[in-house]
Amino acid sequence: MQRDLWQELCSYKNLILAFRKARKHKTTKDYVIEFGNNLENNLLLLRSELLLHSYNPIPLKTFIVRDPKTRKISKSDFRDRIIHHALCNIIEPIFEKLFIYDSYANRKGKGALKALQRFDYFKKKVSKNNTRNCIVLKCDIKHYFEIVDHKILLEIIRKKIRDDKIIWLIKIILQNHKIGRGRGGFGMPLGNLTSQFFANVYLNELDYFVKYELRAKYYIRYVDDFAILHQNHQILEKYKDEVNKFLIGHLRIELHPGKSKIIRFVRSVNLLGYRVFYYHRLLRKSNKRKFERNFKEKLRIFEQKELSYADFMSSLQGWLGYAMWANTYKLRNNLIKQIVEKNQIKD
């Protein structure tokens, strides 16, 4: 019997699961507590809006982040984030079966560390354990999230999702994002769960082209950053040209001319915020400087007793987890030592 995806999406069981996912790591936020205080009624209202096709998302809240490059982040209202999770709960497993092994962003069991480990494996294979040439085509897509074409994205999604009601909801979510002076039909907001998922769906077309048309064996992608390793510079030049033609002709996007380069792996390659050498990794200097600025500011707030020791440490856990995969043992120990000393003085 054919599945009724829309009924599955709108089910109370799916919505309660979506609520639990949306509140993860945010259980103390006022808006989560407020929604949870009348949880059943709020979820039933959302369900009714979906079933009656009267659901309309609240306009996104946009703010600028400089870390160090300037990025515009758009934040959905909490109730809309529940809808995003409800949608992904249903359609993500369908597309997950289609994704290639070496796509690493926003997927269970994948992530940046797995991508780095795979790159390490590839560099050893291509270089024959550092005895042959290893050349890397390192690419970035120009303004990717800003220029994704909604029409093309929906055509890709329709190949697997034939339920018009699901397509209606996806359109509603996409249309909530406007670029510039109300320019619709393009782009996805950074910060949305659905944007992360749709980014993989859109570039899965590229993955198939690289793996099955170009037959590039050593290929890794993480969101819109990707790398191909080979021993031959001319072959990588050909790959670069063919990839750009494919992106322009089929997906209406293009490689970033300044960030898409062919690099001989003699010293290091910049990948996912790290400088990857053959035998070790270092943090990129810009990422290290960014953290040091943030750390000083957090430390200042902590010293002024505006931030508890537990909250201070919690805010650092993500960065420490990221930094531990590079050669940063002394740096991390020095930071912890400073925090402990400040806490002892404070007490």
Side-chain angles (χ1 to χ4, degrees), residues 10 15 24 51 65 70 97 107 144 176 179 255 280 340:
C10 297
L15 290 175
K24 194 173 181 181
L51 291 171
V65 173
T70 300
K97 297 173 185 176
R107 294 176 65 195
Y144 177 53
N176 197 34
I179 299 172
L255 294 179
H280 66 284
V340 171

Side-chain angles (χ1 to χ4, degrees), residues 98-310:
L98 304 176
F99 294 154
I100 67 167
Y101 182 86
D102 287 311
S103 165
Y104 286 90
N106 309 306
R107 294 176 65 195
K108 291 178 182 178
K110 299 291 184 175
L113 173 60
K114 294 288 186 182
L116 289 165
Q117 290 172 335
R118 187 67 162 170
F119 184 86
D120 287 343
Y121 173 74
F122 282 171
K123 78 190 178 193
K124 290 174 184 175
K125 295 286 285 186
V126 173
S127 69
K128 306 292 184 186
N129 288 325
N130 210 17
T131 62
R132 303 278 183 87
N133 284 341
C134 183
I135 305 167
V136 182
L137 169 59
K138 175 72 172 60
C139 294
D140 184 286
I141 294 172
K142 185 178 180 181
H143 305 313
Y144 177 53
F145 279 86
E146 296 176 23
I147 60 172
V148 165
D149 188 309
H150 294 179
K151 183 179 177 181
I152 295 173
L153 174 61
L154 287 166
E155 286 173 358
I156 295 168
I157 292 171
R158 279 195 181 100
K159 292 176 185 177
K160 295 302 294 182
I161 305 295
R162 302 181 189 277
D163 189 316
D164 289 337
K165 295 170 185 174
I166 299 277
I167 299 299
W168 166 80
L169 179 59
I170 293 171
K171 284 181 180 178
I172 291 289
I173 292 169
L174 289 172
Q175 290 166 3
N176 197 34
H177 178 58
K178 298 287 190 294
I179 299 172
R181 298 172 182 175
R183 179 172 174 256
F186 296 89
M188 302 184 297
L190 282 171
N192 268 11
L193 171 72
T194 46
S195 299
Q196 297 166 10
F197 171 66
F198 293 149
N200 272 345
V201 171
Y202 204 75
L203 287 181
N204 191 49
E205 303 292 304
L206 170 65
D207 297 341
Y208 272 64
F209 175 74
V210 173
K211 294 296 290 184
Y212 302 113
E213 296 292 328
L214 297 182
R215 296 187 178 277
K217 191 173 181 181
Y218 302 108
Y219 166 77
I220 294 171
R221 181 174 64 81
Y222 189 93
V223 194
D224 61 325
D225 288 335
F226 61 93
I228 306 174
L229 293 80
H230 205 281
Q231 291 180 357
N232 190 303
H233 193 284
Q234 289 181 326
I235 289 176
L236 289 179
E237 287 280 8
K238 179 185 175 184
Y239 285 171
K240 184 181 177 185
D241 290 342
E242 292 296 323
V243 163
N244 208 30
K245 287 177 187 176
F246 175 83
L247 292 174
I248 293 169
H250 289 79
L251 299 177
R252 303 293 188 267
I253 54 180
E254 63 180 320
L255 294 179
H256 194 297
K259 296 180 181 179
S260 301
K261 300 175 181 178
I262 297 174
I263 307 157
R264 187 182 175 89
F265 198 161
V266 177
R267 283 187 54 78
S268 67
V269 171
N270 286 334
L271 187 69
L272 303 179
Y274 299 89
R275 291 176 64 205
V276 180
F277 294 79
Y278 194 83
Y279 293 107
H280 66 284
R281 301 185 201 110
L282 297 176
L283 292 179
R284 289 181 63 183
K285 291 180 181 178
S286 59
N287 286 13
K288 190 176 174 182
R289 285 195 296 268
K290 169 196 163 186
F291 169 74
E292 287 171 345
R293 288 195 302 270
N294 291 342
F295 176 74
K296 286 178 182 177
E297 177 62 17
K298 293 275 186 183
L299 194 60
R300 182 187 67 78
I301 296 171
F302 173 62
E303 287 176 319
Q304 293 177 353
K305 301 183 179 180
E306 296 175 12
L307 190 66
S308 71
Y309 178 71

Side-chain angles (χ1 to χ4, degrees), residues 13 25 34 38 52 60 74 107 110 123-124 127 143 180 216 300 310 325 331 345 347:
K13 180 181 177 182
H25 305 306
E34 183 181 354
N38 197 15
L52 294 171
L60 300 167
S74 297
R107 294 176 65 195
K110 299 291 184 175
K123 78 190 178 193
K124 290 174 184 175
S127 69
H143 305 313
R300 182 187 67 78
W325 302 114
L331 172 63
I345 291 170
D347 290 343

